[in-house]
Each structure stands twice: as C-alpha cells, then as structure tokens.
Amino acid sequence: DAMVIQNPRYQVTQFGKPVTLSCSQTLNHNVMYWYQQKSSQAPKLLFHYYDKDFNNEADTPDNFQSRRPNTSFCFLDIRSPGLGDAAMYLCATSRELSGANVLTFGAGSRLTVL
Amino acid sequence: GQNIDQPTEMTATEGAIVQINCTYQTSGFNGLFWYQQHAGEAPTFLSYNVLDGLEEKGRFSSFLSRSKGYSYLLLKELQMKDSASYLCAVRDSNYQLIWGAGTKLIIKP
C-alpha cells in the first residue's frame, strides 16, 4: 500500500541533544509537510517542501531545520531540543498545494525531552 | 487574524447521532476539510466541502455554508470506535491550511 512512514515512532532525547526524525512516502506526492502537534492543540505547520522548494513558516524557530534529499524522503532536525519541543511530529504529503488535495499523514513521531 | 472555532469536547451515546460544529474566519476560502484523529495517532481524512450544501459519505455527512463561515460534521449510528478528536481545517486564499484545535468526542455505551 502506498503510504507515509515515519521513524522513529517514539524518540526520547536529553535537553540540548540533537534529534533527527525521518519521513518517507511511496505516494510520489510533490508536497511534504512537517507539523508539530501538542496535546489537545491544532497541528502547527513548521515548514513544507514543494518538490525541492523549501517554505519555512515565519514563526518556526531556527532550532528546527529540514532536508529533502529526494522526492521520497524528508527529515526534521531539531538542533538543540528544549522541554517545550516535546510533542508529536507529524509528516504529511499531498499531490499539490491547492484545492481538494488531501493531506495524507504518517503515524507520527512522539518526542520526549528529558 | 485567522481563526477556526470548534467545541473542545462533546459526549454522545452509542447508536445516537452527534453534530460537531465548526466556524471559521479566514482570509479567503478554498475548501474545508474534516479529519478524524484517534488518541496518539495521525489524522485521517473524512470529508471535503468547497460548495454549499451537504456531502454524505456513509454514516458521516459534512455540511458547509460559506456565507455563514460555518460547517458541521454529522455522525450517525455512533459506534465506540468513533471516539476520537475531529479536526476542522480551512484552506485560505493563499492555499494555507488553517486548523482548528479539534473536538474530542466521547462515546458512552
């Protein structure tokens, strides 16, 4: 089945220790997104790629970086995690940015910061 | 600013019907989505409305009134597995998705 796969599902790190989360897709979608979601809150868009074009949200901290080496893979790097970065990180894809293009989400990576 | 409002939590009985409302104020409108999210899991797509009216899909229906900035998700014949959060999201004129915080639906036997 075509899908979006995130690894790891659960990540525990220490305060300030870098973390990388990965996302892969077999849908051949043009757009890949990274969202941060805290308990009972709306998903917050961190950035998205349209193909190789990177789009950073204005309020995304510099601590968060992303790489998309090819169509299938996208990475989220958190350079120095703080306690406030503990959250579920969701990767999603869509064929295009506009209209009825549905986002397909991965199962998420839950980050705990000690 | 852009805003999506949904009730924080609702409770309903197994077998009953529940309506979850969503009101929005956004810069333009290019469609409204409903997603279901079980606790600790990723959101999954339920429905999309871009024109006024009711879209029916099995036990779930979604309604849109663009003039009122209003949508609802109607769930019929509730089952215990419908216990989840339901997220409303609007695509604005810049094609950004604006998300609500979700409505946690609790189903009681």
Side-chain angles (χ1 to χ4, degrees), chain B residues 7-109:
Chain B
T8 303
E9 187 174 296
M10 299 181 71
T11 302
T13 305
E14 190 177 15
I17 299 173
V18 71
Q19 177 175 312
I20 302 174
N21 295 325
C22 169
T23 58
Y24 61 89
Q25 300 91 36
T26 56
S27 303
F29 179 84
N30 278 294
L32 184 144
F33 297 83
W34 283 97
Y35 281 79
Q36 180 190 59
Q37 187 176 25
H38 285 101
E41 299 182 12
T44 55
F45 171 73
L46 288 177
S47 67
Y48 172 74
N49 294 70
V50 68
L51 299 177
D52 290 351
L54 188 68
E55 295 277 345
E56 297 187 76
K57 195 185 288 187
R59 292 190 299 115
F60 292 7
S61 303
S62 56
F63 172 83
L64 175 67
S65 169
R66 288 172 295 169
S67 62
K68 295 181 179 177
Y70 168 71
S71 173
Y72 67 73
L73 181 69
L74 191 71
L75 291 75
K76 301 177 185 176
E77 300 169 16
L78 285 170
Q79 302 175 9
M80 297 303 292
K81 68 178 182 179
D82 297 329
S83 293
S85 287
Y86 291 86
L87 298 163
C88 174
V90 172
R91 203 181 286 282
D92 70 9
S93 57
N94 293 319
Y95 300 107
Q96 300 267 28
L97 262 182
I98 312 302
W99 292 85
T103 298
K104 183 178 180 181
L105 178 63
I106 299 167
I107 310 294
K108 295 187 174 179

Side-chain angles (χ1 to χ4, degrees), chain A residues 56-73:
Chain A
N56 196 30
E57 292 301 299
D59 58 354
T60 298
D62 292 340
N63 198 26
F64 292 87
Q65 302 287 319
S66 185
R67 297 168 281 137
R68 188 179 185 185
N70 54 53
T71 303
S72 301
F73 283 88

